[in-house]
Amino acid sequence: MYLYYEIFEEIVGVNYLALVTLQLGNHPPLPHPLNTHPPRQHHNILQPNDTRTQQQPPIIITIATATTTKPNPLHPPTLWPRYRKNLMLTLSCFATFLTAYVAGSYSPPRALLEASLSPSSSSLVILTGITTFCLGFGLAPMLLAPFSELNGRYTVFVAAGAVYVVFQAVCGLVTTVAGMLVARFLVGAGASVFATMVGGVIADMWEREERNTPMALFSGAVLAGTGAGPLVASVMVERLGGGGGGEIEMGLGAAWRRPISSSSDCVDGGVPDEKKLHTVTRASHLKRIRWKVKEDEARSSLKHTIYLSLYHPFHLLFTEPVVFFFSLWAAFAWGVLYLTFGSIPLVFRRQYGFTIEQSGYVFSAMIVGAILATGIGIWQDKILNHPRWRLVAPAKVSPSSSGPPYDDSKGDKIWALVRTRFPAESPEARLYFTCFTSALLPVGLFIFGLTARPDIHWIVPTLGVMLATMGITSVYLAVFNYLADTYHKHASSALAAQSLCRNILGGVFPLVTALTFESLGEAGAGALLGGIAAVLTAVPWVLVFWGEDIRRRSPIARELGKT
């Protein structure tokens, strides 16, 4: 007995007509999907009268397609047309910008929160809301990653976006300190998805050689959003300060609730997931079919997956020197970023008599710095892909090399030296320019601390803030790119480890900002922070010169065949 079932499917303009014939009862596993790349023809997998039907039931699949110029959704995301990738990137960066905005918008109204929340608390207790936000931001990805691996990113994006929107609104309604701290934790947990999984979405859509530009735009959106939060919040506090802290927090969240909800839905609808097929059957009833692959059958239980997602990042953190020092470097840079939430208003009020609103305008330097650093990140990738840099040097030529042979006929010894000592194909190529751009972080900190004096114009320390932000952006971009290129299938765990470290220091630094600057003064605090940043700037230099030897000693790097 045979079952004949006609499926008419129409997705983004591609029409499919499939006639599937299969014998009821025991039947072998479904074959691999047919190649949907043009030219498309009729495929007859098994004829009903084939002699093999005596051993197994026949399966007949006939596919007829209409010629169209629209993209095939069954293609891998790397083959999507440029406009579709750019649309997904725009929506992803927009959602990331809005979630980063929330991180800094909490600090300016802390005086109003002290007066409106019960029991009456000090400024330090109120600032703990930044700490709980960072804890949620750092811990949530470790728990959510297994769910995204089992069910795809769609469900996680939708759920996290809903949590983010709902509890940002709750922040404007709670009347107790405890309620505010819990709400901020959940806001951070929801926001974390748009800073961690968006990186995975970008990695799915672009190959390694093309990934730097979208990652630079993503990193710039994070830093620009972090600067926009205290800028907008400071203006609102100054001009709407007559209301209670809860009303201010409600206003800060209300401005973004609808945009983040809309962008979440848009991004979720376009999240690339190669394991899912979408069909419209019969009367246009939309169904989601998850294609079962070998990895699904081999995957462990959810409990074991969660255990690995919690254990593996810490294992990499304490056994891989690259992960440890990159996490330390990124964590300090992130701590400095969150330290500005309190240091900028404090320093400019003490030295220049700025109001809250005037201090808020200084945060625009962070937005400018993020934009400039994004442009530099895109430009450096173009330089790295220079044709004369990409030529294969004699020492690197191998029988399997796909690059063009080295041409020394031009006699350009400088390019020959660059290709030999600094190959563009190595993972350390991500760090060549970072060695210089990351130095902007300690330079900016020194300028900010040593020039914040009444006899020096306020624009000078503001420029220091801009330069420090450019350095932080370059560190953020380098960490994401280098760990992803070096650890491949372990990249998620490596990035989760640095994310946790980054958010722990990000949550601690705001609590010690006032104590540091009041005890050491602007010059002492700037010198201390700048000195630590200068020492950590050695991390990319060490990897550029000795990265291959370090990776050779790594068991995970040897497993991945990177050395």
Side-chain angles (χ1 to χ4, degrees):
M1 180 178 179
Y2 289 87
L3 171 66
Y4 294 87
Y5 187 75
E6 293 182 349
I7 302 176
F8 292 88
E9 177 177 76
E10 182 175 357
I11 305 179
V12 291
V14 181
N15 296 320
Y16 292 86
L17 174 60
L19 177 61
V20 182
T21 305
L22 55 91
Q23 183 175 351
L24 294 180
N26 296 327
H27 55 274
L30 288 175
H32 292 290
L34 295 176
N35 182 12
T36 59
H37 293 274
R40 301 183 176 92
Q41 300 176 352
H42 295 275
H43 298 268
N44 194 347
I45 295 180
L46 290 176
Q47 298 294 341
N49 58 355
D50 197 306
T51 57
R52 286 175 290 179
T53 58
Q54 299 177 1
Q55 289 81 20
Q56 60 183 14
I59 297 178
I60 299 178
I61 300 178
T62 305
I63 299 178
T65 64
T67 303
T68 180
T69 59
K70 294 186 178 181
N72 187 343
L74 301 182
H75 286 170
T78 53
L79 299 180
W80 283 359
R82 183 182 300 272
Y83 79 87
R84 189 177 185 186
K85 291 183 180 180
N86 291 339
L87 175 61
M88 293 299 104
L89 177 63
T90 300
L91 293 172
S92 299
C93 291
F94 180 62
T96 302
F97 176 91
L98 297 183
T99 52
Y101 163 93
V102 175
S105 64
Y106 177 83
S107 180
R110 62 180 179 274
L112 299 175
L113 292 173
E114 290 179 36
S116 60
L117 297 179
S118 61
S120 180
S121 303
S122 64
S123 177
L124 184 63
V125 174
I126 297 299
L127 287 176
T128 308
I130 298 179
T131 306
T132 58
F133 175 91
C134 290
L135 287 177
F137 207 100
L139 294 174
M142 293 187 175
L143 298 175
L144 295 177
F147 292 96
S148 67
E149 292 176 0
L150 291 173
N151 303 307
R153 297 192 187 102
Y154 178 85
T155 304
V156 176
F157 265 118
V158 172
V163 170
Y164 170 88
V165 172
V166 168
F167 284 96
Q168 179 60 25
V170 170
C171 287
L173 300 175
V174 295
T175 58
T176 63
V177 174
M180 177 63 76
L181 299 183
V182 172
R184 286 286 294 178
F185 176 86
L186 294 173
V187 170
S192 66
V193 170
F194 296 92
T196 53
M197 290 191 182
V198 167
V201 172
I202 292 175
D204 284 347
M205 292 190 294
W206 278 276
E207 300 290 353
R208 175 187 178 275
E209 295 76 11
E210 304 173 333
R211 197 179 300 155
N212 183 78
T213 295
M215 282 301 300
L217 294 172
F218 164 68
S219 302
V222 173
L223 273 294
T226 306
L231 168 61
V232 176
S234 297
V235 175
M236 293 183 67
V237 168
E238 184 80 12
R239 301 189 180 186
L240 304 176
E247 295 174 354
I248 295 294
E249 188 69 18
M250 170 75 83
L252 294 173
W256 304 110
R257 253 176 265 149
R258 183 59 181 271
I260 191 64
S261 178
S262 301
S263 63
S264 173
D265 291 340
C266 292
V267 173
D268 295 340
V271 169
D273 193 340
E274 297 181 43
K275 299 177 182 178
K276 294 180 180 179
L277 304 176
H278 305 263
T279 61
V280 181
T281 63
R282 295 295 182 180
S284 69
H285 296 293
L286 184 62
K287 295 182 179 179
R288 180 179 297 273
I289 301 176
R290 183 174 179 85
W291 193 274
K292 192 172 184 179
V293 296
K294 183 178 180 181
E295 287 78 5
D296 291 325
E297 297 175 349
R299 182 175 284 125
S300 304
S301 65
L302 177 61
K303 180 179 179 180
H304 184 64
T305 305
I306 293 177
Y307 166 76
L308 289 179
S309 69
L310 294 174
Y311 164 78
H312 202 46
F314 290 102
H315 176 73
L316 289 178
L317 182 64
F318 295 109
T319 60
E320 289 289 315
V322 171
V323 176
F324 177 82
F325 284 103
F326 258 72
S327 299
L328 182 63
W329 188 34
F332 179 79
W334 210 247
V336 170
L337 178 68
Y338 276 59
L339 180 141
T340 59
F341 298 157
S343 63
I344 288 179
L346 176 64
V347 170
F348 281 85
R349 175 176 57 81
R350 292 190 350 155
Q351 300 298 327
Y352 301 102
F354 276 19
T355 64
I356 294 179
E357 181 175 355
Q358 290 172 328
S359 299
Y361 291 136
V362 176
F363 286 97
S364 61
M366 295 178 62
I367 301 176
V368 175
I371 295 173
L372 293 177
T374 301
I376 293 175
I378 296 173
W379 172 79
Q380 71 184 25
D381 189 57
K382 295 183 181 297
I383 298 298
L384 193 62
N385 287 314
H386 193 284
R388 300 183 69 182
W389 198 342
R390 285 283 175 178
L391 292 178
V392 180
K396 300 298 181 181
V397 173
S398 64
S400 61
S401 176
S402 60
Y406 174 69
D407 182 10
D408 195 29
S409 60
K410 299 178 182 179
D412 193 336
K413 302 301 183 183
I414 297 179
W415 280 110
L417 176 64
V418 169
R419 286 190 295 268
T420 304
R421 298 297 300 273
F422 306 102
E425 296 79 12
S426 72
E428 284 73 34
R430 299 289 194 185
L431 306 176
Y432 295 157
F433 294 93
T434 307
C435 291
F436 302 97
T437 56
S438 64
L440 295 175
L441 174 56
V443 170
L445 291 173
F446 283 129
I447 293 176
F448 176 73
L450 300 177
T451 64
R453 304 200 315 251
D455 58 327
I456 298 178
H457 196 278
W458 58 265
I459 195 63
V460 179
T462 301
L463 291 175
V465 173
M466 182 190 72
L467 294 176
T469 303
M470 294 175 66
I472 295 172
T473 307
S474 68
V475 172
Y476 189 81
L477 177 61
V479 168
F480 266 82
N481 278 334
Y482 186 77
L483 292 181
D485 290 348
T486 303
Y487 288 94
H488 290 266
K489 66 180 182 180
H490 301 290
S492 297
S493 296
L495 290 172
Q498 67 82 27
S499 177
L500 180 61
C501 296
R502 182 163 49 86
N503 283 284
I504 288 176
L505 282 193
V508 171
F509 271 40
L511 302 180
V512 300
T513 300
L515 178 63
T516 301
F517 279 84
E518 291 175 356
S519 300
L520 302 178
E522 284 75 8
L528 174 63
L529 296 172
I532 297 175
V535 171
L536 292 175
T537 304
V539 171
W541 288 93
V542 171
L543 289 174
V544 165
F545 288 101
W546 297 286
E548 186 173 355
D549 294 334
I550 294 174
R551 287 185 286 110
R552 187 179 294 114
R553 294 184 176 92
S554 167
I556 292 181
R558 289 198 302 268
E559 172 194 344
L560 297 172
K562 294 300 293 179
T563 60

